[in-house]
Amino acid sequence: MPTTSKYHHAIQNNVNFHGRPIELLARSLRTGGIILIGEPYWRQLPPTEDVAKGCLANSISDFLMLPELLASFGHLGYDVVEMVLADQDGWDRYEAAKWLTMRRWLEANPDDEFTKDVRAKLTSEPERYAAYTREYLGWGVFALMPRQ
């Protein structure tokens, strides 16, 4: 579990990260309306910064654990009234669909200037995903209503 100072830092980073989009969405929200926002979160805290980077984060402090993420919405003045979290099977299908898309693109564009980069990504992504993202990173859509 993060220390108090790391927890505070992570909450502050998260508030700064998604606070602005929520503020912009709130401008067009009718009374009683609901904001939907998608956010990543740590399913389990990565043991090292290198593992966080393997999840394509810049650092562990980029994301919060789910309880802290939910609390951060409250700190912004919103109640969480619904959430839908991606499970590992759904996340697997989402990621694997990207690999199939890359494979098909490679077949259709063998002489494109990006072929080498796409081939490298397709070669590395399944292993990177299985080693890092699948175990550590979650994603959800959260329905928020302003507190009165």
Side-chain angles (χ1 to χ4, degrees):
M1 213 52 195
T3 64
T4 303
S5 62
K6 285 184 182 176
Y7 171 78
H8 176 74
H9 178 69
I11 289 288
Q12 190 61 39
N13 283 350
N14 190 265
V15 168
N16 289 338
F17 174 70
H18 74 260
R20 183 79 174 135
I22 289 176
E23 178 185 306
L24 293 173
L25 290 169
R27 290 181 187 172
S28 61
L29 192 64
R30 293 182 182 170
T31 302
I34 296 174
I35 294 173
L36 297 178
I37 189 158
E39 284 287 323
Y41 62 90
W42 294 121
R43 293 183 66 243
Q44 58 179 315
L45 204 60
T48 67
E49 291 292 337
D50 285 341
V51 171
K53 288 178 180 167
C55 296
L56 305 180
N58 292 315
S59 71
I60 293 171
S61 65
D62 280 359
F63 308 121
L64 301 171
M65 297 291 290
L66 184 57
E68 289 83 11
L69 176 59
L70 295 171
S72 76
F73 295 127
H75 295 305
L76 291 170
Y78 291 87
D79 290 318
V80 177
V81 297
E82 181 66 79
M83 66 182 185
V84 177
L85 305 178
D87 62 13
Q88 283 183 310
D89 291 336
W91 192 269
D92 292 347
R93 293 189 73 197
Y94 171 77
E95 289 294 324
K98 293 191 291 186
W99 308 331
L100 178 58
T101 299
M102 286 188 278
R103 175 56 192 253
R104 288 187 173 152
W105 185 91
L106 286 168
E107 290 170 355
N109 300 280
D111 299 321
D112 192 279
E113 65 182 287
F114 293 111
T115 296
K116 185 177 176 182
D117 294 335
V118 174
R119 164 46 59 202
K121 190 83 160 170
L122 177 56
T123 300
S124 65
E125 273 304 289
E127 184 177 342
R128 185 207 58 78
Y129 169 74
Y132 298 105
T133 303
R134 188 172 199 276
E135 294 304 317
Y136 292 98
L137 196 62
W139 189 82
V141 174
F142 303 89
L144 311 174
M145 293 182 75
R147 290 185 176 162
Q148 300 197 8

